[in-house]
Structure formats: structure tokens, C-alpha cells
Amino acid sequence: MKNKLRKLFFENFQENEFIYGRYVSIIGLILSLGLIYGVWFFSERFFYNQAKVRFERHVDKDLQTLRERLQQYENTLRGGIGDLINANKEILELEIYDGKRMGTTNLLYKSPDVSGYHSDHHTERTLRIGGREWHMYYSSSSAFDAHHSSHYPKLFALIGLIVYLMMMYIIIELLRKRALLKKQTQALQHEKELAQTYLDIAAVMVLILDTKYTIKSINRKGCEVIGYSADEAIGKNFIELFVPLRIREELHKVANAFVDHNKNDYYENPILTKNGDERLIAWRNRQLFDEQGELIGILSSGEDITDIRHAQKELQERETFYRTIFESIDKSIVILSDTIIVDCNKVALDLFDSTNEHFIGQSLFDTAYEIDCQDGSLHHHLTCAYSGERVSTRCTLRHHANPNNVKIADFYFSQFGSAEHNKLIMIARDITDKIEKEKMLTLHGRQAQMGEMISMIAHQWRQPLAIINAITTQMRFKAIMNDIEDHTFIDNLVKIEQQSSHLSQTISDYRDFFRPDKPKEHFRIVSLINHAHNLIDHTLKNHSIHVEQEELYNPMLYTYRNEVLQVLIVLLKNALDAFVENKVLGGKITITVRAEERYCIISVTDDAGGIPSGVMHKLFSPYFTTKSESYGTGLGLYMSRIIIEEHCDGLIEAFSEENTTTFKIKLPCEEDL
């Protein structure tokens, strides 16, 4: 296509040189004949004159000789002059008349060979001797004419003939080329019209410029955009006529860079239309070369993107407006397309601990967090949302790399756009802090209520216990005073006193456990473990569960005593529930305390059957439990993790191997006070 355009618009066929070939051929023929005749005629005249000059010289010489002799022999003239004639008979032929040429009556002398030959050269002389007047007629001899005749005129005529033939060949060749040129011109004109038709069909501007940026061709679309007709535009400098003054210098540099180095093959710039409006055009340019590889022009296609840019600008402004609203909302917003994340706000990135580069384009199921919904699977909720339902659920987000990193969020799913686009908008509100605060407030409220109830029970129980203790003491004192030797009776009285004291102390321990105020305090970890053991020891014994304490390192801790006590009770209670649910008899719980730098490690191990590896990473998630609905709510370990890691600056972990499960609590400890 580029080669056709190059031929159509840049090859200059000099048709005017051959348009009058018919007349040229006739004129050439006439000129050739005239040239031949002229060469022959002038060469003939030239050589004839040369011979005539030589002839005249001989005549003059002969006449001079004759005059001299006649003067010497004047007296002998009467007798005859034949002997006096000294003319060179090989050159001259002579006739002498006494008087004018009259005939034989006054003929004095005649050369023997004069009769019957027509000489090429003739001349007449008059000689006066002794009062007489002789007329002398000289003619060139046949030998002289033969000697001085030249073949050059014939040679020149032959050359003229050759020139004539050459000119005839040239004329015939010109006529042939003219016919071929006419045919080629018609074919090129047809191709040009066809190419122009193709250009006019194109929905973009098409310009052909030469290296001086002069318009050589423009299509219909280009004329519509600029407002000029093709005749008005062709031949005009594109930059000078159509480019605004403020950017002409810049565009000159761009155009020169393209011409010199083939740079900027894509460029956008405004142009001026005939009515003074500016239109933004996106140009794509290609260089045009001739058959020798020389640059001869530029082929440019331009798309009017004025309306597109205006629409893009409006769209960008709207997007900026909505993006501002999008980012100002304090909830996580995620746009999904077939579960693939296509857009989100900054709150969503914070919720999923990700960056925009890694988050966008990912599947919701491939993020750094595993999403577990409270009332069904995430896939089920997404399916319902894609079908047009509005779905809301509470979900737990658990980090794959760090299962202890758990978040709780309320999720809302709804269809976004038309159904065929298959897009969802997901709004999530992180309620982790809220849940923790609510749970802590609930826990503290329950503890306060339980503490108040325990205080009331203690108040009601202490007086009867004191009376029982006083009666047993009095009975034991009387038995001793009366020397009663019934040792069983006395031992039973002692046991009643001990049980009353133990019951009073137990009530005091429970009252302290449920105190709402929880200041940090110093305490020994072993005493706290014993306290927790004592609180549920009766229940453990009822199920034949034995508790062993090994390697008890007893450091001093400074933290929230009652909260750590609550965690220990949760762990012991979970072990008890596992034994009961798995129907394990004669179970054993092992508690160890060991040192690790400035920390103490508390391990609680049971052999109640272990925990499946597939759910280990969910143990500390809210609302997750391995127990049946009658045994657990899924909040005990979750609250234990919050207490240990967030309140006490420690760490809690779980391990399960075969039939054993171990929970490890790592707490900072102090030097012994």
C-alpha cells in the first residue's frame, strides 16, 4: 500500500515532454531531410568554390604568360597565334575571338578538345594588344574537373542519412514510450482513484505529506475534520495552516525527529479547523521511501479523540469524586468479579494486611487470611449473593502464616451492576476490638455478678459455718474434759472442723476470683496453679482424673493474677471436658513450669485423645469449638489468647500429637523479690 501511495503521489512522469509526439515525429522528419539536403548543398558549394578559385588562378597565370609573349612577338600576330598559346591543356581549354564571341568568322584559336565536353568552370578575359581587342574564353578541362571533384558531399550526405535514420528510430521509440506512458498513466490514475476511494472509506484522517510537510493527499474524513475541501488543503503546509501557533515550534521539533530518526510514530496534538475550533488528534505516522531508499514523505493516520478525551476527563473527575467517597468510608469495600478482587479501598487493604499490587487480581479465597463464616461457608454466601440475594454474616479471618492472628468482621454481600457482569460488592466491618471489648465487659460483668453472688453466699454461709465449727469445738472440748475414749467420735469432730474451715476458705477463694477490679500484683506461679487446681479438684476427682505437677519452677510474676487464674481454669476445664466427651477413664493432666531466659513456660498436657491437625489453626478463633454444643461456645480459648497475649504480654500455643494435647503459656517473670 505504501509503495502504491509513493508511486501515485511522488513519482513525476514528464508526460508533457511526449504529449505532442505526433507533431514531433513530422517535424523530425522534415528537419532530417532538410539537414541531409543542407549538408549536401553547402558541402557541394564549398568544394565547388574551392575548385573555382584554383581554376581562376590558373587562368590568370596563363593570361599573364600569353600577354607577355604577345608583346614580344607582336609582329608575328598577323601570321597566327597558335604557337604563342602556352595554356596547360591538362587544366585549361581556351577559345580566342577577335572581338566578341560571334562564331567561326572571328575565331582566332580554339583548344582541340573543347567540343563535346561541358566544363564545370568557365571564365572570360579581354586582352588588348596593338589596338586590337581579343575575347578569351577559358573552360576547365575534364582532367581538372575530375581532379578537383570531392566525395565529401556524398560522405556528409551519408552521415546525414544515418542521422536521419537515428532520428527516425528516436521518434519511433518516443512514440512507443508515449503509448506505454499513456497506458501506465491511465493505470496509475485508476490506482490513484482506487486508493483515494480506500482512503475516503477509512474512518480516520489520512494525510500524505512530503518532507517539507506539504499536504500531497487527504481523505474525506480528514476534510470533514479540518473543514477544508481537498483542493483547498492539498499543496498547503500542514504545520503552518493547521497547527495552533503556541505549539508550532514544538511540533516542528517532533516532526523533524520523526523524519530524521523515525521517532514519535505516535503523537497527540490539537489542530485548527477552518472555523477556528481546536480538535485533538492522535496521530500514527509511517515513513515513505522511494525505490532507492530515499525518504520522500510521511503517511499519517489521525483519529479525532477530542470527544474521547473530554469523556475521559469527565470520567476521571467522577472517578476521583467517587474514589474520595470510596476511601472516606470507614468500612472495608471490595469489588469482586467471579470471586476475583478487581478494586478495593484502603480499609480493605488494612483488614487483609496486603498492598494494592498484591491484593488486586487475587481470588478472595487466595488472600493471606482464611475466612470462616459463622452460619455457613464463604462459597455458599457468595453463591447466594451472585443469585441476587443480599447476604450478611459474621466471619473469622485467620492468617495462614500466623494462625494466632485472628480478626472478626461482619460481611455484607450484594450484587453490583447487572447480573451478566457477575460482580459483587463486599462490605466488611472489622469488629475485632468491639467483640473483645464486649466479651471483656461481659466477662467483667459476669465476674462482678458472680462476685456479688459469692459474697452474698459467703455472708449467709459464714455464720452457720462458724456455729457448726463452734459446736464441734465445744463437743470435742467436752469429750476431752470427760475423758471420753471414743477416738472415732473425736476424729469425726476434727474432720467437721477441717471441712468447715475448707468450705469457708473455698468461698473466699471464689470471691477473690470474681473481683471486678484486677490490679497487677506480684505472685508465685506455683501458688496460682495450686489455687486453680483446688477450685476444680473436686470435679476432677469425680471423673477419676489425676493431676500431676512436674519440674515446678516457681518464679515471681507481676501481672493480672485473676486473669491468668481464669486461663488456667479454662485449660483444666477443657481437658476435663475432653476426657468426659471422649469417655476416657483414669485420665491424667500434667502441669510443668520451666524457665526460658526471662520467661516462664507453663505447660498443661492431657491424654484425652488429641485434637485433629486440620483444626489446630482454628483453636483460638472465636465461635470455634471441638466440643458438642452442650459443652462449648467457642470463646474460652479465644478469650484466653486475648488475656495472655494482649493483657499480659505473653504467648499461648497449642500442640497435639497422637492422643496428647499440650497448651503452653509463656509469661514474662521477674527476679525473686
Side-chain angles (χ1 to χ4, degrees), residues 196-206 219-222 224:
Q196 188 66 43
T197 302
Y198 291 155
L199 296 180
D200 289 339
I201 294 175
V204 296
M205 295 179 62
V206 179
N219 69 340
R220 181 182 293 109
K221 182 64 176 180
E224 292 175 0

Side-chain angles (χ1 to χ4, degrees), residues 626-668:
T626 59
K627 306 173 187 178
S628 60
E629 294 181 0
S630 59
Y631 279 95
T633 61
L635 293 175
L637 289 178
Y638 172 66
M639 295 305 301
S640 297
R641 182 184 65 82
I642 293 175
I643 290 171
I644 296 300
E645 296 184 359
E646 298 186 14
H647 296 180
C648 300
D649 298 324
L651 179 65
I652 183 170
E653 297 176 304
F655 307 93
S656 184
E657 185 177 4
E658 295 182 354
N659 293 327
T660 62
T661 301
T662 300
F663 286 88
K664 288 185 178 181
I665 301 173
K666 184 177 182 181
L667 293 172

Side-chain angles (χ1 to χ4, degrees), residues 296-461:
I296 58 174
I298 304 170
L299 173 63
S300 299
S301 65
E303 182 180 2
D304 187 353
I305 59 173
T306 308
D307 297 335
I308 295 176
R309 286 292 181 264
H310 287 165
Q312 288 176 342
K313 184 178 180 181
E314 292 179 0
L315 183 61
Q316 186 175 10
E317 291 175 352
R318 292 181 182 178
E319 183 178 358
T320 302
F321 173 73
Y322 289 116
R323 177 62 64 177
T324 302
I325 298 176
F326 195 57
E327 295 294 344
S328 63
I329 296 176
D330 61 351
K331 294 181 178 62
S332 168
I333 301 177
V334 178
I335 307 299
L336 301 174
S337 177
D338 292 327
T339 74
I340 301 300
I341 301 166
V342 296
D343 199 4
C344 68
N345 62 353
K346 188 177 182 304
V347 181
L349 297 177
D350 295 338
L351 177 63
F352 287 90
D353 294 334
S354 185
T355 61
N356 195 70
E357 292 76 13
H358 292 89
F359 196 57
I360 301 298
Q362 233 182 8
S363 172
L364 187 62
F365 295 97
D366 296 332
T367 63
Y369 283 85
E370 179 184 358
I371 304 175
D372 291 325
C373 298
Q374 187 175 356
D375 53 352
S377 67
L378 177 62
H379 186 272
H380 170 72
H381 292 307
L382 290 175
T383 302
C384 293
Y386 278 123
S387 64
E389 298 180 24
R390 292 182 178 271
V391 180
S392 61
T393 184
R394 179 164 294 181
C395 299
T396 301
L397 286 75
R398 185 178 301 100
H399 202 282
H400 289 292
N402 182 13
N404 292 330
N405 184 0
V406 178
K407 298 179 181 180
I408 306 172
D410 287 333
F411 281 77
Y412 305 90
F413 300 96
S414 63
Q415 205 169 54
F416 179 69
S418 57
E420 60 269 14
H421 291 158
N422 211 26
K423 288 186 178 181
L424 290 182
I425 181 169
M426 181 184 78
I427 301 176
R429 183 166 61 96
D430 188 354
I431 59 172
T432 306
D433 294 337
K434 177 183 177 183
I435 290 294
E436 291 178 0
K437 290 177 181 179
E438 288 179 353
K439 296 303 178 184
M440 293 304 295
L441 289 174
T442 302
L443 179 62
H444 291 164
R446 289 179 180 177
Q447 287 179 343
Q449 292 175 0
M450 290 296 293
E452 184 178 352
M453 184 176 65
I454 294 295
S455 296
M456 293 174 62
I457 293 173
H459 178 72
Q460 296 294 328
W461 281 22

Side-chain angles (χ1 to χ4, degrees), residues 222-235:
C223 295
E224 292 175 0
V225 173
I226 63 177
Y228 290 89
S229 66
D231 294 336
E232 291 175 321
I234 293 175

Side-chain angles (χ1 to χ4, degrees), residues 7-52:
K7 287 183 178 181
L8 292 177
F9 299 103
F10 291 97
E11 289 191 358
N12 187 14
F13 290 96
Q14 300 295 332
E15 185 181 358
N16 292 334
E17 295 181 4
F18 309 109
I19 196 68
Y20 302 109
R22 185 177 301 172
Y23 302 104
V24 170
S25 61
I26 296 174
I27 293 173
L29 178 61
I30 295 173
L31 289 177
S32 298
L33 294 175
L35 177 64
I36 294 172
Y37 177 78
V39 169
W40 176 83
F41 177 80
F42 287 108
S43 62
E44 182 71 22
R45 289 293 89 197
F46 174 78
F47 289 108
Y48 176 82
N49 290 333
Q50 291 290 324
K52 187 173 182 64

